[in-house]
């Protein structure tokens, strides 16, 4: 899966990364490479399904590729 991210340099010199398609998915880093690594981790955590989210005991979690 490929997801577009936007990186901008903040006033403090840090690089701020966010993913417009995933609301509230932001991260930052001292370098562009660090910001990219951090936003990748943030996206993975954002998309991770938690089994506690299952309200119905008969529900199952499936993974699909997009």
């Amino acid at each position: 899966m490929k997801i577009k991210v936007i990186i901008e340099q903040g006033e403090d010199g840090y690089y701020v990364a966010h993913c417009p398609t995933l609301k509230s998915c932001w991260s930052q880093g001292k370098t562009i490479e660090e910001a990219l690594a951090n936003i990748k981790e943030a996206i993975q955590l954002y998309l991770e399904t938690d089994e506690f989210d299952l309200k119905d005991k008969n529900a199952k979690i499936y993974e699909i590729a997009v």
Side-chain angles (χ1 to χ4, degrees), residues 1 3 5 19 22 25-27 36-50:
M1 173 190 308
I3 297 179
V5 297
C19 181
L22 303 175
C25 191
W26 292 75
S27 194
L36 285 170
N38 291 342
I39 194 66
K40 181 177 180 178
E41 181 181 6
I43 290 168
Q44 290 170 334
L45 291 170
Y46 185 100
L47 295 175
E48 188 175 274
T49 302
D50 191 347

Side-chain angles (χ1 to χ4, degrees), residues 5-46:
V5 297
I6 296 172
I7 296 183
E8 301 172 285
Q9 191 167 18
E11 293 178 12
D12 59 359
Y14 278 73
Y15 292 91
V16 179
H18 70 98
C19 181
T21 56
L22 303 175
K23 304 282 186 214
S24 302
C25 191
W26 292 75
S27 194
Q28 67 178 12
K30 290 182 181 179
T31 64
I32 291 175
E33 293 77 16
E34 184 179 14
L36 285 170
N38 291 342
I39 194 66
K40 181 177 180 178
E41 181 181 6
I43 290 168
Q44 290 170 334
L45 291 170
Y46 185 100

